[in-house]
Amino acid sequence: MKKHNFYAGPSILSQYTIKNTADAVLNFADTGLSILEVSHRSKEFQAVIDEAMELVKELLDVPAGYHVVFVGGGASTQFAMVPFNLLKKKAAYLDTGVWAHKAIKEAKLFGEVDVVASSEADNYTYIPKDYVIPADADYFHFTTNNTIYGTELRKDPDSPVPLVADMSSDIFSRPIDVAKYDLIYAGAQKNLAPAGVTIVIVKEDALGKVDRPIPTMLNYLTHTSKGSMFNTPPVLPIYSALQTLKYYKQLGGVAEIEKVCVAKAAKLYDAIDSSRMFVGTANADDRSIMNVCFVMKPEYKELESEFVSFAQSQGIVGIKGHRSVGGFRASIYNAMPMESVEFLTACMKEFEDKH
Ligand SMILES: *Cc1c(COP(=O)(O)O)cnc(C)c1O
């Protein structure tokens, strides 16, 4: 049976990425060796990481004066690395969900944190709008896509201070004005590669400005000065990331990808909005085009687990909602084809007609 993968993360990757990675596991770049067993200092792998770095810059139109590095530790390590390296006295944070909350917790270890707004009291169903970013903050941190709640800020906010963003679950789904940012980070396992690598795009001038000592591996300068090769980088995930980046370029780049993502999300939200049984959980203005969260209306609530089972029986995987929202979450990342979204909407319709 064909499977339709709606997992939130790790999540769907393009067949191009998976096939090329599988090939390289058997024979990497005609070396007669597996990508799993080659030196990260080999010229063949150096070519991989160089090209991956260049493609990130090309796809996101990264201006001069920025570094792209590949590090381990997941986005969660960035929650601490960002303030460790950038917070001198005070930083501003927007609280839009569990991930933002965790980033705030880490930042408090390093200085004053001004939480400019929070939607926690409404279970993060919306993204706060009317807040003031203090002009004396070192940076303003926000999460572009709130993976758990299905809300998303699809623009680069105006700010009196440099931006820092966690783009783990929507990077490469739209053009970004990188010049507004001191730093962007993204764990790979939502829109790029298998888990294990995190992309960091950081402005050269933003580094080296804090007085505190920073452990070597947590200092961005260690990685920027050595082209992500201070120690052994996550070789296999970087190889896969390169495949996805090539694939994104073939698709025509992030502006083209955005059009398709918008169309896929519209298809699914239309199905939810026109349903008698399902209802979306996120504020309509803030809806994510990556993670679509919905539940059964109160009068059908007892059918939720039955719908999950029904969807599963049809080959739909990973549709169960996060425990803090309940119901369903359809993650429709870049690699998700429109046909799978249509398959899901047809299943929803069929289930509704039966009940
Ligand atoms: C998944 C996710 C994280 C956590 O990433 P890890 O790599 O597991 O540390 C952080 N932020 C966002 C927005 C995410 O979607």
Side-chain angles (χ1 to χ4, degrees):
M1 184 196 298
K2 179 173 166 45
K3 296 289 176 129
H4 301 271
N5 180 2
F6 290 89
Y7 275 131
S11 47
I12 188 168
L13 290 169
S14 75
Q15 281 303 304
Y16 181 91
T17 303
I18 292 170
K19 286 208 174 84
N20 288 351
T21 302
D23 287 347
V25 166
L26 298 174
N27 180 8
F28 166 54
D30 284 325
T31 54
L33 300 170
S34 168
I35 182 79
L36 304 177
E37 58 179 356
V38 296
S39 168
H40 61 296
R41 308 273 176 206
S42 66
K43 71 172 188 327
E44 289 85 4
F45 184 71
Q46 186 65 54
V48 167
I49 199 164
D50 288 346
E51 190 179 358
M53 220 180 309
E54 283 313 312
L55 274 176
V56 171
K57 287 187 178 174
E58 184 181 331
L59 285 164
L60 296 179
D61 205 6
V62 176
Y66 284 79
H67 292 279
V68 173
V69 292
F70 298 98
V71 295
S76 298
T77 300
Q78 296 306 308
F79 296 161
M81 259 176 99
V82 163
F84 218 148
N85 286 262
L86 303 182
L87 201 169
K88 284 168 265 178
K89 191 165 180 297
K90 177 166 100 176
Y93 277 71
L94 184 61
D95 181 21
T96 55
V98 160
W99 301 121
H101 209 83
K102 289 185 171 172
I104 289 165
K105 178 169 177 263
E106 299 298 299
K108 284 179 176 167
L109 298 172
F110 300 95
E112 195 185 323
V113 176
D114 185 342
V115 179
V116 297
S118 171
S119 47
E120 186 179 10
D122 291 296
N123 199 29
Y124 297 119
T125 45
Y126 70 100
I127 294 183
K129 309 281 178 313
D130 298 315
Y131 51 83
V132 178
I133 301 167
D136 61 345
D138 296 317
Y139 60 84
F140 171 58
H141 179 285
F142 66 107
T143 313
T144 48
N145 183 60
N146 301 287
T147 323
I148 293 172
Y149 313 90
T151 64
E152 189 177 21
L153 186 54
R154 295 195 63 75
K155 57 178 200 280
D156 312 302
D158 292 321
S159 162
V161 300
L163 302 176
V164 173
D166 175 0
M167 298 196 182
S168 293
S169 54
D170 67 350
I171 194 162
F172 302 114
S173 72
R174 67 171 172 98
I176 303 165
D177 184 358
V178 176
K180 283 184 161 183
Y181 294 81
D182 267 1
L183 193 144
I184 291 165
Y185 60 93
Q189 68 272 26
K190 278 88 180 211
N191 245 347
L192 189 65
V197 68
T198 301
I199 291 191
V200 178
I201 302 168
V202 59
K203 190 176 190 171
E204 166 112 42
D205 286 349
L207 299 176
K209 302 278 165 67
V210 295
D211 294 329
R212 69 177 68 88
I214 305 173
T216 308
M217 277 298 285
L218 300 182
N219 191 332
Y220 290 116
L221 285 168
T222 301
H223 305 285
T224 58
S225 66
K226 296 281 191 218
S228 307
M229 288 283 206
F230 171 77
N231 72 324
T232 318
V235 169
L236 181 76
I238 292 172
Y239 184 82
S240 292
L242 172 60
Q243 307 315 308
T244 303
L245 294 164
K246 285 182 174 176
Y247 177 67
Y248 286 170
K249 189 173 167 173
Q250 283 171 24
L251 292 179
V254 294
E256 290 305 311
I257 291 170
E258 180 172 33
K259 284 182 205 162
V260 179
C261 289
V262 167
K264 284 185 295 184
K267 178 95 203 166
L268 189 43
Y269 284 120
D270 283 351
I272 293 166
D273 291 342
S274 60
S275 154
R276 112 184 107 79
M277 189 174 269
F278 299 98
V279 60
T281 54
N283 180 29
D285 291 341
D286 302 319
R287 282 172 161 181
S288 168
I289 65 170
M290 296 281 113
N291 310 95
V292 176
C293 295
F294 55 108
V295 295
M296 294 277 187
K297 289 180 182 171
E299 59 271 37
Y300 297 104
K301 207 76 191 166
E302 77 283 0
L303 291 175
E304 280 189 344
S305 59
E306 196 178 327
F307 177 68
V308 171
S309 310
F310 173 70
Q312 248 161 20
S313 73
Q314 305 294 304
I316 289 174
V317 179
I319 197 87
K320 198 171 182 317
H322 188 276
R323 62 191 177 282
S324 57
V325 177
F328 321 104
R329 169 174 53 175
S331 297
I332 52 173
Y333 297 118
N334 290 357
M336 169 71 63
M338 179 60 114
E339 299 78 72
S340 289
V341 174
E342 284 168 346
F343 187 82
L344 172 60
T345 58
C347 275
M348 290 162 65
K349 184 84 181 47
E350 191 183 332
F351 187 83
E352 195 170 318
D353 289 345
K354 273 208 283 214
H355 293 85

